[in-house]
Amino acid sequence: QVQLVESGGGSVRSGGSLRLSCAASGYIPSDTCMGWFRQAPGKEREGVAVAVFDGDGSTLYADSVKGRFTISQDKAKKTLVLQMNNLKPEDTAMYYCAADPAYVSGAYPCSPQFPSNFDYWGQGTQVTVSS
């Protein structure tokens, strides 16, 4: 069983920064696909960024956050991090960490476009950006 706990959300002004963390516990095998997703009120869930845990360092980002957000991982602490810079009001949402331990490289993409592939989800952390 995998448990994910997010932290680091808050309220900032436009142009500000926040750093989200996702602490993972349980069995997280190497090559687990992990990612950040967000959902704003009245909108569909949107993939933000993904990375293969303990993998080759490859990452994928949604076009809306490229150049502003960076996903990284602390392997020793089993923590996934999302550094968010130059935040905009449209980034306001509940942010969720997710994991797909069944991911096998080459079988299907580790991508923010496929949230249904992720079996485990955290409870979310709120990010609010004011103009």
Side-chain angles (χ1 to χ4, degrees):
Q1 188 75 6
V2 175
Q3 291 186 327
L4 305 170
V5 179
E6 304 97 333
S7 62
S11 297
V12 296
R13 299 290 294 274
S14 181
S17 298
L18 283 173
R19 182 180 176 91
L20 305 184
S21 293
C22 172
S25 61
Y27 180 58
I28 307 290
S30 296
D31 295 338
T32 292
C33 177
M34 297 191 70
W36 289 96
F37 296 80
R38 66 187 181 186
Q39 188 166 20
K43 295 188 177 181
E44 293 186 355
R45 183 172 49 190
E46 175 190 20
V48 176
V50 297
V52 177
F53 189 78
D54 203 17
D56 62 4
S58 59
T59 57
L60 282 176
Y61 296 90
D63 288 344
S64 58
V65 306
K66 282 181 181 177
R68 300 187 298 121
F69 291 11
T70 303
I71 189 171
S72 62
Q73 54 187 279
D74 183 328
K75 301 173 186 177
K77 296 181 179 179
K78 289 202 295 186
T79 299
L80 189 71
V81 175
L82 185 69
Q83 178 65 43
M84 306 186 295
N85 298 327
N86 191 22
L87 283 160
K88 305 175 180 181
E90 51 264 42
D91 294 318
T92 295
M94 185 72 79
Y95 283 71
Y96 299 91
C97 175
D100 174 17
Y103 169 74
V104 176
S105 178
Y108 54 87
C110 176
S111 169
Q113 296 182 352
F114 305 110
S116 61
N117 290 337
F118 292 79
D119 297 321
Y120 298 94
W121 294 80
Q123 83 288 349
T125 186
Q126 178 68 37
V127 171
T128 302
V129 185
S130 59
S131 58

